């Protein structure tokens, strides 16, 4: 993170769409996110993410699939760790503003297109400016994940 811009986490990285503080303010009181995952074979499933026990540093992130509601994983995450998920290399990523039609409606987004590497396929991430946190849509290797619903605590 640079002193002048909290969105820049390294000299070779693009600015992130949100700061750790913005993610904290949007999530610390508790947020439930419902996602739809569409797989390349035409099947799909719903997944849930829930933040609880949020404080200045982070929160407990719980995740489960709709078809297995008792199989919950939970781990402590920091707001900075979540911001780092959107810190993409400037040499292999482009970013632009884009309006996205989504299950949440028409959203003003920042779209990040990443190039394929030896470890990861090319991917596209849409971050809705009105919803600090995870992308509202993600596409890679024929899989699409879309945020269907966001709710507070």
């Amino acid at each position: 993170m640079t002193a002048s811009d909290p969105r820049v986490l390294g000299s070779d990285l693009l600015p992130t769409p949100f700061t750790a503080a913005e993610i904290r303010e949007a999530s610390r009181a508790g947020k439930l996110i419902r996602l739809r995952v569409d797989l390349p074979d035409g099947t799909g499933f719903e997944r849930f993410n829930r933040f609880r026990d949020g404080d200045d540093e982070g929160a407990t992130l719980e995740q489960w699939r709709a078809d297995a509601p008792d199989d919950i994983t939970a781990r402590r995450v920091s707001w900075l760790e979540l911001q780092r998920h959107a810190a993409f290399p400037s040499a292999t990523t482009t970013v632009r503003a884009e309006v996205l039609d989504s299950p949440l409606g028409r959203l003003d987004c920042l779209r990040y297109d990443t190039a394929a590497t030896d470890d990861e396929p090319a991917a596209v991430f849409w971050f809705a400016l009105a919803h600090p946190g995870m992308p509202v849509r993600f596409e890679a290797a024929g899989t699409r994940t879309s945020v269907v619903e966001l709710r507070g605590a």
Side-chain angles (χ1 to χ4, degrees), residues 1-127:
M1 183 165 22
T2 65
S4 61
D5 188 347
R7 292 179 194 275
V8 179
L9 299 180
S11 61
D12 60 342
L13 300 172
L14 290 172
T16 60
F18 311 109
T19 66
E22 290 169 328
I23 296 167
R24 178 187 66 227
E25 291 311 307
S27 306
R28 83 180 288 170
K31 182 194 300 187
L32 177 66
I33 304 167
R34 183 168 57 117
L35 304 107
R36 173 75 193 162
V37 179
D38 296 307
L39 301 171
D41 66 4
T43 64
F45 59 90
E46 286 190 332
R47 190 183 84 206
F48 293 88
N49 291 352
R50 179 174 50 211
F51 292 93
R52 64 176 177 78
D53 303 326
D55 58 32
D56 288 346
E57 298 303 315
T60 299
L61 173 59
E62 298 177 325
Q63 297 177 304
W64 68 94
R65 284 179 49 152
D67 59 358
D70 295 328
D71 189 15
I72 298 174
T73 62
R75 66 183 177 94
R76 180 81 178 164
V77 295
S78 74
W79 307 122
L80 184 57
E81 174 187 349
L82 296 176
Q83 180 185 1
R84 282 188 183 120
H85 288 183
F88 300 107
S90 56
T92 57
T93 307
T94 60
V95 62
R96 68 177 188 261
E98 184 171 297
V99 175
L100 176 69
D101 288 316
S102 83
L104 299 173
R106 275 181 84 75
L107 302 170
D108 291 324
C109 295
L110 290 177
R111 175 183 167 152
Y112 290 74
D113 289 76
T114 65
T117 66
D118 291 338
D119 299 324
E120 298 289 333
V124 183
F125 302 80
W126 288 264
F127 292 90

